[in-house]
Amino acid sequence: FFLSQNLENKTTGKLQKQICQVVLDRFEKQYTMELGDTWISVRDVLTYPLCWQYAVLLNKFSQSTELENILRVKGYHPAFQGPLPYLPASLKCYIRRTPGRFPAQKHQAGKLKEYYLLNAASLLPVLALEVKDGEDVLDLCAAPGGKSVAMLQCAYPGNFHCNEYDDLRSRWLKQTIESFIPDPLISLITVSKLDGRQIGDLKPELYDKVLVDAPCSNDRSWLFSSDIQQATLRLIQRKELPSLQFQLLRSAIKALRPGGSLVYSTCTLSKAENSDVINLILNSCSNVTPVDISEVAKAVSQEFTFLSGTQQHELLVLPEKGRAWGPMYIAKLKKI
């Protein structure tokens, strides 16, 4: 089931040393309370990277039938096959049940990459957003760029605005776009470094679709913080994240045209950063309404595990062995 014993022995010690006890203790307390027994199986996956899986998102701008054949031979199959409400034929993503990582491709100037490695759950916000050709789209917190690339696999927006406030991450985003998107299409893409909280005031009612893939407690990476001081600081600052996420959503709603929709996503299990933020928005903004996305979950339930008991406008992907995708929270709202 796992990778070869040799690789496992070689890396287990290193990986176990990397688990940050301060973060694990805090998660243990919070998530036992929020998720109950479910947390035990989720924790087993999050704290053991050798069982993590990686999906292969194909780049339609650098197509290779040979690559699809190689993936099939290696036991990969299409991630999305169910009767999804929205699944463009041009979006091709391959996964397999066994852990391990397909070799990554290096960035080469002037040469497009053939695929992007990612957590398959990262594509669910893109599928929920349902971008159509000609629509004006804003990716509010776009780095490192995987969701932007995925949206461009699905459709050709009229105007595509990718924003990333952080300087280093903004450079990463630009490189991702250069690695995957051909020149004629890059001219349709605006990359900016604006404060996402101000975009709504700067560009009111300009977009048909907005993705808010918000800064959050990244549960997977936080568990492996190598610097205890940094980890402790992160946990203190964690309390401020819901306020930032709320402000980003308020800004996104202002930037949306009436009738437009937005998807909010995070890669944390934290209720304070997920449903609590969405409930606060729904209670304080009279011009938005929740959108039912339960059909998305039904269509992909063979490959993804979801937390039960969530509301119809939200999903929470829970990692489990053999389906180690997530955590990924997704909620959809429409401006009226």
Side-chain angles (χ1 to χ4, degrees), residues 55-58 77-80 91-95 116 118 120 123:
V56 183
L57 173 67
L58 304 195
H77 61 273
F80 306 108
L91 181 76
K92 290 184 179 180
C93 176
Y94 281 83
I95 59 173
Y116 188 98
L118 76 176
L123 294 176

Side-chain angles (χ1 to χ4, degrees), residues 59-75:
N59 185 11
K60 72 176 182 185
F61 304 111
S62 176
Q63 264 183 335
S64 158
T65 44
E66 189 192 354
L67 175 60
E68 286 195 67
N69 294 336
I70 291 167
L71 287 166
R72 288 180 191 276
V73 167
K74 288 184 177 291

Side-chain angles (χ1 to χ4, degrees), residues 124-125 127-130 211-212 249 253 261-266 271 273-285 288-298 306-317 328-335:
L124 295 177
L127 292 173
L129 194 58
E130 301 190 17
L211 176 66
V212 184
L249 273 169
I253 291 161
S261 50
L262 76 80
V263 166
Y264 173 72
S265 60
T266 73
K271 185 173 169 286
E273 298 176 51
N274 294 340
S275 49
D276 287 359
V277 173
I278 290 296
N279 289 338
L280 190 57
I281 280 287
L282 288 169
N283 291 331
S284 60
C285 299
V288 287
T289 182
V291 178
D292 185 351
I293 52 171
S294 56
E295 287 302 313
V296 175
K298 273 186 216 155
F306 296 95
L307 178 69
S308 59
T310 55
Q311 297 179 83
Q312 287 186 316
H313 61 272
E314 58 179 0
L315 306 170
L316 178 60
V317 181
M328 180 61 57
Y329 175 80
I330 304 123
K332 187 170 185 178
L333 306 174
K334 183 176 182 173
K335 186 168 180 177

